[in-house]
Amino acid sequence: MSAPSTKKRALTEFFSPTSQKKARLSPPPSHLQHLTDHVSSSHSTYPFPLPCLPDHIIEKLSETPSTEGKVIKDQTDLDLLYFQPFVPKSFEKDLFDFLRGQLFFYRVQYKIKRGGIETQINTPRYTTVFGLDETSRFAADGSIVETSTSKPVAPNKYPTCRPRPIPQCLDELRKLTEVFTESTYNFCLVNYYANGADSISYHSDDERFLGLDPAIASFSFGAKRDFLMKHKPVPPREGDTRSDQINNAKPLKLPLASGDMILMRGKTQANWLHSIPKRKGEESDKGRINITFRKAMAKGGTENYYQYNVGKGEVWKWDERKKEMRPWQSGGS
C-alpha cells in the first residue's frame, strides 16, 4: 500500500491516515465472518449469493480517496464534503460494472393517500437495501439479536420486512467511507438509474430514526447526473433577516461524475432538499448507480428502508447479453 499523499495528510480535520490503514485491511467483524467465504456473501434473505469484490478492485481501494474533499458550507444550514472523485478513474468503471452485474434489485410499487385519495406510486428507478438499525445486530448464525442483550429479537420486532446484512462487495466501501467521513453507518441503499428517464424528486433524508444532524455519504458510479439542492422555504417574517437569507439562498447543481462522493452532514438534511432530475442528451442513455451509507438509530428505520426499497415486488438482475435489467427467476436467469 502506498503512503498517503501530502495533500491527503493535510485533511486532518476529516480523516486520519493511521486509522485508514486499519480500515482497509481489517477482516469483517467476527459476527459477520460466517456470511463471507472469500468467494461470495450469502444469507437466507438473499435471493442468490453475492460475489465478493475481485482482488484487483480490493487492491485498488488503497488508492481512495483520489482527491481531497472540498468543503461546501457557504450558505445557511449547508454542510457538504465533496470528493471529485473519491474512487479513482483507474477502476471506477470496473466497480460500476461489477455492482450492476451482480446485485439484485427491485422496482418498488407502493400506495399513498393524498387528499383522501389513494394513489399507486411506481418507483422511477431500481432499488435495493442492506442493513439493520442500531437496536439489533446479526449473530454468528445469521439470525438477528438485540444489540443490548445479544438475545434473539422478538418474532414480531420487524413484522413488515426481513433485514439482511451488508455483503462484502459493499461493506468494503462502507468501511473506507467511515474512515474518511469520521462517521459510522449501518445501512446501505443502492439505486440504479437505467437511463435519463429514471429520477428521484426533491426530498430530504430527515426522518427521526436517523437522529439529530445525520451524516449521509452518497456515491455515484456510471453516467454523469446532475445533483440538485435547494433550501426548504420558510414563511417570510417582517424584520426576520434569517428568513430572508434562507429564501434568497441559491440552489446548487453538482454534476456528479462516476466515482464522485458527496457527504451531507450537520444541518443539511433538516433544511435542504435534494433531487436527481430526469436528463436528456449527454449520457442520458447510460445507467448510473447511486450508493448511500447512513445510520438508522431505531427499528422504524429498518421497516421504512425495506418497505420503500424492497417492497413486495419481483427480483431484477442485470442481463449482460441484453444490456438491461430483467426479472430474475430462481434456478434460472
Side-chain angles (χ1 to χ4, degrees):
M1 184 186 303
S2 59
S5 68
T6 303
K7 180 182 288 187
K8 292 176 184 176
R9 284 197 299 269
L11 295 179
T12 54
E13 180 182 353
F14 303 112
F15 54 78
S16 164
T18 302
S19 60
Q20 167 190 339
K21 191 169 185 179
K22 293 179 181 178
R24 287 173 179 160
L25 299 180
S26 61
S30 59
H31 64 280
L32 294 183
Q33 289 182 13
H34 72 288
L35 301 173
T36 301
D37 57 11
H38 305 292
V39 176
S40 64
S41 300
S42 59
H43 190 261
S44 61
T45 57
Y46 294 1
F48 50 81
L50 296 174
C52 292
L53 289 176
D55 289 343
H56 76 280
I57 292 181
I58 291 289
E59 292 171 1
K60 287 186 176 181
L61 282 174
S62 64
E63 301 172 12
T64 59
S66 181
T67 59
E68 71 176 65
K70 175 185 177 182
V71 177
I72 303 176
K73 50 190 315 182
D74 58 343
Q75 297 201 61
T76 304
D77 305 317
L78 185 67
D79 191 355
L80 308 176
L81 185 62
Y82 188 16
F83 292 86
Q84 295 180 277
F86 186 98
V87 175
K89 297 299 180 184
S90 61
F91 74 100
E92 49 82 12
K93 185 179 185 302
D94 288 349
L95 186 54
F96 167 75
D97 288 340
F98 177 86
L99 294 174
R100 181 174 66 173
Q102 302 302 332
L103 293 175
F104 44 83
F105 290 91
Y106 304 85
R107 197 81 174 190
V108 178
Q109 298 179 336
Y110 57 93
K111 295 181 179 181
I112 62 173
K113 283 190 175 182
R114 291 175 175 168
I117 301 175
E118 191 171 69
T119 304
Q120 178 165 299
I121 303 297
N122 299 312
T123 303
R125 60 195 174 279
Y126 296 90
T127 60
T128 195
V129 63
F130 303 89
L132 191 59
D133 65 85
E134 281 290 281
T135 68
S136 305
R137 65 176 178 82
F138 291 98
D141 62 357
S143 64
I144 301 174
V145 298
E146 296 287 351
T147 300
S148 59
T149 64
S150 295
K151 295 181 178 180
V153 299
N156 63 346
K157 182 169 184 177
Y158 301 105
T160 64
C161 63
R162 298 180 65 211
R164 54 201 184 199
I166 302 174
Q168 183 268 4
C169 61
L170 293 168
D171 205 45
E172 291 296 327
L173 186 59
R174 179 195 62 82
K175 290 188 290 186
L176 283 173
T177 305
E178 289 189 342
V179 172
F180 291 101
T181 62
E182 292 191 340
S183 298
T184 58
Y185 309 99
N186 55 23
F187 262 95
C188 176
L189 280 62
V190 186
N191 292 306
Y192 176 65
Y193 298 78
N195 51 49
D198 283 357
S199 63
I200 187 167
S201 59
Y202 270 111
H203 68 285
S204 59
D205 300 303
D206 58 354
E207 296 89 350
R208 289 185 179 181
F209 56 72
L210 289 173
L212 184 66
D213 298 342
I216 296 179
S218 179
F219 284 86
S220 187
F221 295 100
K224 180 184 290 186
R225 295 290 293 267
D226 290 332
F227 183 76
L228 307 184
M229 298 188 71
K230 63 181 181 181
H231 201 290
K232 295 178 182 179
V234 298
R237 297 178 181 176
E238 186 176 352
D240 185 351
T241 57
R242 175 176 165 79
S243 65
D244 290 340
Q245 286 180 336
I246 290 174
N247 292 324
N248 290 327
K250 297 179 180 179
L252 294 181
K253 182 169 76 171
L254 304 177
L256 297 182
S258 191
D260 287 359
M261 187 268 273
I262 186 163
L263 175 69
M264 297 173 280
R265 58 189 178 184
K267 303 295 183 184
T268 303
Q269 293 299 334
N271 295 282
W272 284 75
L273 303 167
H274 55 274
S275 75
I276 297 288
K278 296 181 187 296
R279 184 186 184 101
K280 295 182 179 180
E282 183 184 7
E283 298 192 22
S284 62
D285 59 335
K286 298 179 181 179
R288 171 184 180 263
I289 284 179
N290 167 239
I291 300 172
T292 60
F293 296 109
R294 53 191 74 190
K295 186 174 185 177
M297 308 300 294
K299 77 181 188 73
T302 297
E303 294 177 322
N304 177 283
Y305 285 146
Y306 284 96
Q307 176 183 357
Y308 293 112
N309 294 279
V310 175
K312 299 179 180 179
E314 61 188 337
V315 175
W316 294 72
K317 191 177 186 298
W318 178 253
D319 186 319
E320 182 60 27
R321 184 173 61 86
K322 296 185 177 181
K323 301 296 182 182
E324 65 180 10
M325 288 288 173
R326 302 282 296 177
W328 177 83
Q329 300 293 331
S330 178
S333 60

